[in-house]
Amino acid sequence: MPSNSCPSVLLIYTGGTIGMIENPETGALENFNFDHLLKHVPELKRFNYRISSYQFNPPIDSSDMEPLYWAKLVKIINYNYNQFDGFVILHGTDTMAYTASALSFMLENLAKPVILTGSQLPIGVLRTDGKENLITAIEIAAARNDKGEPMVPEVCIFFENRLMRGNRTTKINAENFNAFRSFNYPALAHAGIHIKYEEHLIIRPDTSRPFKPHYLFDTNVVILSLFPGIREQTVSSILHVEGLKAVVLRTFGSGNAPQKEWFIRLLKEAAERGIIIVNITQCASGTVEMERYETGYHLLEAGVISGYDSTPESAVTKLMFLLGHGLSHTEIRKRMNMALAGEITPNIKKKR
Ligand code: ASP
């Protein structure tokens, strides 16, 4: 059981650059085992914490991440929920934002920190960013507020010096250590000499309800990104994929799309066939306002719903999650309009 005097953290290693080593023949980075990783962070022993670990065997490059692995992570967290104060998930950076988003929906009414982190350079490399990321993530997972409650009972990504709500993050850099951003929601904490928490921004659980893990996903979804010149046949083929149930439509600016007759017609027909179409912007920052321009208004009339200021990672995992629960079309549309885990800001004031 977690104790007040000695915080306990479960470290879950899924794979990713942080634990990789270079293949001497090809020079490519490959997954390596967890002991190797721990050997390079002797500082962990200096924590006055009980740190246990669980590793994926074999570890995976996060490009291979799948909903099945998300369910596995939820299973591990649920199984150990009462034994630990917090959880740190070591994960490849490439799909970390998808996993963080998915977990934020799957771990309903979470009352403990689940902090994902990784690195751009393997832990065995001299200039690695992995060590600091790991050490600070553990400290955050164990942190408590004045009332003795977990400081950040949310699924978060900690990277470089920022703690961000997981379902608000996007990987924005393939090279810099500062690889993640949360454009539409402020960081929950900044790590400098001290870790400075923004307590007013952190979601607290509803203490009248228990923590509830979920496992089901339906992957009959697609992300369709618009571009000038997109062909009717392309859009039509995508919207007619067998079994398709939902589309994340990445539009321009504040939710605008071509006004061509065929485009609006294809969307309208798809919506009438029961396909849920969610409008999010291709811009990294800002929100969809379909009422703002005529081009967006036509989408609204065609039955497209707003994804507000959602990231693509959050919109697609939320749809998979809701579809996985076999909810009705109306119910899914309703929940896409609500923040389930702080992933959207639905009630942004209209400009006109
Ligand atoms: N390809 C790696 C992964 O996502 C990259 C990383 O960890 O940064 O697993």
Side-chain angles (χ1 to χ4, degrees):
M1 288 292 281
S3 78
N4 286 339
S5 53
C6 172
S8 52
V9 174
L10 180 64
L11 199 50
I12 307 170
Y13 174 56
T14 67
T17 298
I18 194 163
M20 289 182 179
I21 56 165
E22 204 175 281
N23 179 320
E25 276 163 33
T26 64
L29 288 174
E30 291 176 355
N31 277 303
F32 206 59
N33 71 31
F34 194 55
D35 300 338
H36 157 82
L37 190 145
L38 291 183
K39 198 178 87 198
H40 285 91
V41 202
E43 292 88 346
L44 290 184
K45 297 200 187 81
R46 290 172 54 191
F47 271 127
N48 188 19
Y49 300 164
R50 176 169 64 86
I51 301 175
S52 302
S53 60
Y54 180 98
Q55 72 162 309
F56 275 27
N57 193 9
I60 58 162
D61 185 295
S62 78
S63 314
D64 284 320
M65 193 42 79
E66 289 278 344
L68 255 182
Y69 291 121
W70 296 337
K72 179 173 169 156
L73 285 169
V74 170
K75 226 182 207 170
I76 297 165
I77 291 169
N78 183 39
Y79 186 75
N80 291 285
Y81 195 72
N82 294 324
Q83 276 79 53
F84 292 91
D85 292 305
F87 300 84
V88 171
I89 301 177
L90 295 175
H91 194 291
T93 56
D94 291 345
T95 61
M96 193 186 289
Y98 289 90
T99 298
S101 300
L103 293 182
S104 75
F105 304 125
M106 297 166 89
L107 302 169
E108 187 183 332
N109 205 31
L110 181 70
K112 301 197 174 187
V114 173
I115 314 296
L116 287 96
T117 195
S119 67
Q120 295 281 59
L121 276 178
I123 206 117
V125 171
L126 208 54
R127 282 195 316 110
T128 186
D129 50 330
K131 243 187 201 191
E132 276 175 36
N133 285 349
L134 173 58
I135 289 170
T136 310
I138 291 176
E139 201 168 326
I140 292 169
R144 294 188 158 260
N145 63 17
D146 293 345
K147 296 186 200 134
E149 300 159 338
M151 185 62 100
V152 196
E154 287 203 41
V155 178
C156 299
I157 288 184
F158 176 76
F159 221 84
E160 179 68 356
N161 56 359
R162 287 192 194 93
L163 181 74
M164 294 155 280
R165 176 168 300 152
N167 56 31
R168 291 286 193 160
T169 58
T170 297
K171 182 175 178 181
I172 49 111
N173 205 305
E175 180 168 334
N176 286 357
F177 289 158
N178 234 323
F180 287 87
R181 280 288 184 291
S182 164
F183 287 106
N184 287 329
Y185 198 77
L188 304 183
H190 288 94
I193 292 176
H194 303 288
I195 303 176
K196 201 168 164 285
Y197 294 93
E198 305 295 339
E199 291 195 55
H200 62 290
L201 298 174
I202 297 171
I203 297 175
R204 304 226 63 91
D206 173 354
T207 48
S208 66
R209 289 195 299 123
F211 160 64
K212 187 167 173 205
H214 296 274
Y215 299 95
L216 300 175
F217 272 86
D218 184 332
T219 54
N220 282 305
V221 298
V222 74
I223 300 178
L224 172 56
S225 202
L226 299 181
F227 55 90
I230 193 165
R231 293 175 55 215
E232 177 174 357
Q233 206 186 346
T234 310
V235 176
S236 176
S237 311
I238 292 173
L239 294 178
H240 283 93
V241 165
E242 209 189 316
L244 186 71
K245 293 184 183 155
V247 180
V248 175
L249 188 66
R250 297 192 72 197
T251 57
F252 308 121
S254 54
N256 306 310
Q259 297 192 68
K260 291 190 184 85
E261 181 278 328
W262 65 260
F263 183 74
I264 302 296
R265 177 176 37 82
L266 285 175
L267 291 181
K268 195 160 183 264
E269 286 167 5
E272 281 165 6
R273 289 197 302 277
I275 295 175
I276 294 160
I277 307 169
V278 181
N279 184 356
I280 65 166
T281 173
Q282 291 176 21
C283 299
S285 170
T287 190
V288 158
E289 288 180 83
M290 286 193 280
E291 301 88 343
R292 194 163 155 80
Y293 294 96
E294 198 180 357
T295 47
Y297 204 79
H298 286 148
L299 296 182
L300 202 60
E301 286 181 329
V304 173
I305 58 175
S306 178
Y308 303 97
D309 54 350
S310 178
T311 62
E313 294 90 337
S314 171
V316 77
T317 53
K318 184 172 175 181
L319 282 168
M320 287 197 273
F321 171 79
L322 294 175
L323 289 166
H325 283 72
L327 299 174
S328 70
H329 190 262
T330 319
E331 193 57 31
I332 294 181
R333 286 174 70 97
K334 190 171 132 202
R335 292 194 196 192
M336 289 306 293
N337 271 304
M338 296 161 39
L340 303 183
E343 73 281 7
I344 50 171
T345 318
N347 51 356
I348 290 171
K349 264 236 226 77
K350 310 230 169 43
K351 298 255 162 63
R352 64 173 191 184

